[in-house]
Amino acid sequence: MKVVKKASGGKSAGGLGLQLPLIVRFPEVLRNRLHSLQAAFDSAIKSYGYDSHYQGVYPVKCNQDRFLVEDIVEFGSPFSFGLEAGSKPELLLAMNSLTKGSPEALLICNGYKDEEYVSLALTARRLDLKTVIVLEQEEELDTVVEVSRALGIRPVIGLRAKLRTKHSGHFGSTSGEKGKFGLNTMQILSVARKLEKMDMLDCLQLLHFHIGSQIPSTALLADGVGEAAQIYCELSRLGANMQVIDVGGGLGIDYDGSRSGGSDMSVGYSLDEYAAAVVRSIMKACDRKYVRHPVICSESGRALVSHHSILVFEAVSSAPSDYAPHNLELAHLMEELGDECRTHYRNLMAAAVHGDWDTFSASADKLKRQCIEMFKDGSLNLEHLAAVDGVCELVAKSMGVSDPVRTYHINLSVFKSVPDFWAIGQLFPVLPIHHLDRRPAVNGVLSDLTCDSDGKMDTFIGGKSSLPLHEIGGGGGYYLGMFLGGAYQEIDGPHSFAVTRAVPGPSCADVLRAMQHEPELMFEALKRRAEDCAAAGGDALACGLARAFHSMPYLVSAGGEAHVDVADCVLVANSDDDDSAPSRYGSTDGLSSMLSSACSDEEWDLFTA
């Protein structure tokens, strides 16, 4: 609470004057998670006598926040911990961050790829970053080969395998042979043969796979890793220069504290057990085929960053459900009802005297339905209707069966701050961080301040439909915290757009700037690296980097035809013939200046033409 009061307090009182909700980060928790993951694999490798090492990467899609990524690179530098990117903006921020990290750190390039993406990834290799381009589709090989030959940079290639092993839970939709990503066995074999014909089989060095997020058990994990390890061994047999097996994500966290493998909200293993299952499965397959043990890589984003931050928000008011009308003579009003209504009223009162809940409930239901029909017809006034509701609630409360759940109005948007709760039913621990010296005396649900009926939290850890809370006092708000939301929740909040005119969408630099990165400074750092690494071709590299910051984050369509990007509600025109069409590059003045400074006059004229 000291942190919250310092952050939200007025500046005149020594506070920072920040508005709630707040995200409070704990870098030491992040450091502990990374060190614990590394220690778990180091221990398993030593225990089994595994003849290689573990070298993880952080998938920046989990949370691209600048300071978080920089912390991971710093904390992971002693272990050569790297980064994984799945889009052009992510690749740019990963390149910039890794210039400050270990020179041995891996830069894994996943996601669908166009020529711009591949060119940028190969530029990263020219900057002495250990970049691996992972093929998600067989046809991406042609793009990689074509661009690498044009740039004169020999690529390091990985394959994403589409395993038969399937994760049956909610997060397993991208796994199995019908999964969204990866190459099946026929495509893997085809890629290997194409590389062999082009005398590039030595470029194939990594096998990647992903069983699915929140892998529930080590049995499923071992099954998938074992299958992938066999593919790795077969690629080695075929002559590929295999070095690394990337087991992807899937290391789960225990959201509900049950440590159960039968729920999407938990997992039935520890970090040590996870690492042991991975090491044991790979070692078993490789020893059987007499294949050298590969470097083990994982992309454990959720397990790394979920714990390091807390979403702090404020309940500003509460509305009890067990209210009764005031200043109304209930008995008198009830006697003014019609004969049928009075009969139901007397039946429910008699049932209450005898403690017969079933009869009371049935009579109360009949009375309420009868009265609302009369109210709709105009034969019953508001005071009588309120008296009926009040009597039923008061009698139920006296019988000890009333449901006193209150609605607490919270100052945030569930859609923006906790999108996975709304979108996929993901539960997060929510607890009061206020009045912890007192026992909670109220059960409540949380309703946000949006005008949408889905903007509420009424399901909590353990399947409970309410949360133990304190009374909101008269001295200010009531603070709560949501935990384990450091992955995905801070970046996935939906945005609404109204199309008023067609304009170019955000550039890679715009996307980076939205997450507190500084594209101009990133460019200058990469430009200096280009000048250091390639004395002769530094200017050309710098110009290519500037173009990358200025380009669109999404894939560039082939053929130059105009197309509408529905997700961003913008018209992106790639026609070379229409001078009036908006450029597909952004219009940021700072980036225009970086382009002009990085490119020669001839290149700049060509670019702006």
Side-chain angles (χ1 to χ4, degrees):
M1 280 303 300
K2 289 182 179 179
V3 174
V4 175
K5 290 180 179 178
K6 174 69 174 178
S8 60
K11 293 184 178 180
S12 60
L16 300 177
L18 300 177
Q19 296 294 315
L20 273 72
L22 298 172
I23 294 175
V24 182
R25 301 191 189 281
F26 298 92
E28 287 306 311
V29 173
L30 181 63
R31 185 198 299 268
N32 176 264
R33 293 297 296 175
L34 196 154
H35 284 211
S36 297
L37 177 63
Q38 184 73 38
F41 273 97
D42 288 346
S43 176
I45 285 169
K46 182 178 179 180
S47 175
Y48 287 105
Y50 189 83
D51 193 22
S52 191
H53 64 278
Y54 169 75
Q55 193 174 334
V57 296
Y58 168 65
V60 296
K61 67 180 180 182
C62 290
N63 192 327
Q64 299 110 327
D65 180 82
R66 169 188 171 182
F67 303 106
L68 170 67
V69 176
E70 289 177 352
D71 280 346
I72 288 176
V73 171
E74 177 186 346
F75 299 156
S77 185
F79 317 119
S80 299
F81 209 88
L83 298 174
E84 179 270 346
S87 66
K88 285 177 276 189
E90 289 180 0
L91 181 51
L92 284 166
L93 76 87
M95 290 167 62
N96 180 70
S97 298
L98 287 177
T99 59
K100 308 174 186 70
S102 167
E104 297 302 314
L106 292 171
L107 173 52
I108 304 295
C109 299
N110 290 329
Y112 293 122
K113 302 163 190 72
D114 59 5
E115 289 187 9
E116 287 185 352
Y117 186 123
V118 173
S119 178
L120 186 58
L122 291 170
T123 299
R125 283 198 59 76
R126 181 66 63 85
L127 301 182
D128 291 338
L129 298 175
K130 296 191 68 173
T131 310
V132 183
I133 301 174
V134 179
L135 305 182
E136 305 275 355
Q137 304 177 91
E138 184 179 356
E139 52 266 32
E140 289 177 352
L141 176 62
D142 297 331
T143 303
V144 172
V145 171
E146 179 181 343
V147 176
S148 67
R149 286 174 174 171
L151 297 178
I153 303 173
R154 198 162 178 84
V156 174
I157 297 173
L159 300 178
R160 177 165 179 167
K162 187 180 293 186
L163 303 183
R164 307 295 177 91
T165 303
K166 183 168 176 59
H167 176 355
S168 60
H170 167 80
F171 294 102
S173 59
T174 56
S175 64
E177 59 182 326
K178 301 295 184 181
K180 177 180 178 182
F181 303 108
L183 285 68
N184 60 33
T185 53
M186 294 182 293
Q187 293 168 325
I188 290 173
L189 196 58
S190 174
V191 167
R193 287 172 174 166
K194 287 179 181 178
L195 287 171
E196 185 177 22
K197 289 179 181 179
M198 292 183 287
D199 197 24
M200 293 180 65
L201 194 53
D202 62 302
C203 296
L204 180 54
Q205 298 183 17
L206 179 144
L207 180 72
H208 168 51
F209 66 94
H210 179 64
I211 300 174
S213 296
Q214 285 286 106
I215 297 173
S217 68
T218 54
L220 176 63
L221 173 67
D223 193 26
V225 174
E227 180 185 351
Q230 294 295 338
I231 297 175
Y232 179 95
C233 292
E234 288 299 300
L235 288 171
S236 182
R237 179 182 64 81
L238 292 172
N241 183 26
M242 301 303 292
Q243 304 287 331
V244 182
I245 185 166
D246 180 354
V247 302
L251 173 55
I253 63 173
D254 190 5
Y255 285 103
D256 63 13
S258 66
R259 205 182 177 206
S260 165
S263 166
D264 288 333
M265 304 302 165
S266 183
V267 292
Y269 51 82
S270 65
L271 277 178
D272 289 333
E273 291 167 334
Y274 172 89
V278 171
V279 172
R280 185 172 58 245
S281 300
I282 296 174
M283 185 174 177
K284 180 181 177 181
C286 290
D287 287 350
R288 184 181 298 166
K289 295 291 183 70
Y290 302 101
V291 172
R292 183 180 53 172
H293 296 169
V295 173
I296 299 175
C297 178
S298 74
E299 303 175 8
S300 304
R302 185 189 301 267
L304 277 181
V305 302
S306 290
H307 303 74
H308 92 286
S309 68
I310 302 172
L311 173 68
V312 178
F313 55 97
E314 182 182 19
V316 294
S317 64
S318 65
S321 61
D322 57 341
Y323 65 90
H326 297 288
N327 301 322
L328 296 177
E329 298 179 11
L330 297 182
H332 175 72
L333 289 169
M334 297 301 290
E335 289 300 326
E336 292 181 351
L337 299 175
D339 292 340
E340 188 174 356
C341 291
R342 287 202 304 272
T343 299
H344 295 320
Y345 167 62
R346 290 171 182 141
N347 288 340
L348 73 83
M349 293 302 292
V353 170
H354 292 93
D356 185 352
W357 167 250
D358 291 337
T359 302
F360 167 82
S361 181
S363 299
D365 184 61
K366 292 177 182 177
L367 174 61
K368 288 182 177 182
R369 283 192 283 109
Q370 181 71 29
C371 288
I372 193 62
E373 291 302 322
M374 295 173 64
F375 181 75
K376 291 177 181 178
D377 290 339
S379 58
L380 195 69
N381 60 33
L382 188 61
E383 290 87 348
H384 289 94
L385 190 64
V388 170
D389 291 338
V391 165
C392 292
E393 182 61 36
L394 288 173
V395 175
K397 188 174 182 179
S398 69
M399 295 177 69
V401 293
S402 179
D403 182 18
V405 175
R406 294 191 184 184
T407 298
Y408 280 62
H409 303 290
I410 55 177
N411 189 20
L412 59 70
S413 164
V414 168
F415 310 102
K416 175 66 176 175
S417 297
V418 202
D420 279 1
F421 176 87
W422 163 73
I424 62 174
Q426 175 70 52
L427 299 183
F428 297 91
V430 178
L431 299 170
I433 60 172
H434 207 177
H435 304 317
L436 298 184
D437 57 339
R438 306 203 309 257
R439 184 181 295 275
V442 179
N443 289 323
V445 296
L446 307 178
S447 177
D448 72 6
L449 297 186
T450 66
C451 296
D452 197 298
S453 59
D454 287 333
K456 61 183 178 180
M457 300 180 72
D458 54 4
T459 306
F460 302 93
I461 295 296
K464 297 178 180 178
S465 58
S466 63
L467 193 67
L469 300 169
H470 302 86
E471 293 276 3
I472 297 181
Y478 176 56
Y479 299 106
L480 298 99
M482 188 200 80
F483 299 78
L484 300 182
Y488 300 108
Q489 305 317 298
E490 300 174 18
I491 58 171
D492 282 351
H495 301 271
S496 298
F497 296 89
V499 180
T500 56
R501 64 191 180 100
V503 297
S507 66
C508 289
D510 296 327
V511 174
L512 292 167
R513 193 175 289 109
M515 294 305 297
Q516 303 183 61
H517 297 279
E518 298 177 11
E520 289 80 6
L521 296 180
M522 294 168 66
F523 168 75
E524 290 299 329
L526 291 171
K527 180 182 177 183
R528 288 193 296 271
R529 181 65 170 256
E531 292 169 349
D532 293 340
C533 295
D539 290 342
L541 283 177
C543 188
L545 287 167
R547 291 172 185 264
F549 278 100
H550 220 38
S551 66
M552 298 293 293
Y554 301 102
L555 302 181
V556 178
S557 62
E561 67 272 17
H563 67 277
V564 176
D565 187 329
V566 179
D568 280 353
C569 296
V570 297
L571 178 67
V572 182
N574 292 338
S575 173
D576 294 328
D577 301 324
D578 184 2
D579 293 335
S580 65
S583 167
R584 63 184 175 88
Y585 298 99
S587 58
T588 307
D589 291 338
L591 287 171
S592 296
S593 63
M594 87 164 60
L595 266 170
S596 60
S597 65
C599 303
S600 65
D601 292 340
E602 183 179 346
E603 289 172 322
W604 174 250
D605 292 338
L606 178 63
F607 174 75
T608 56

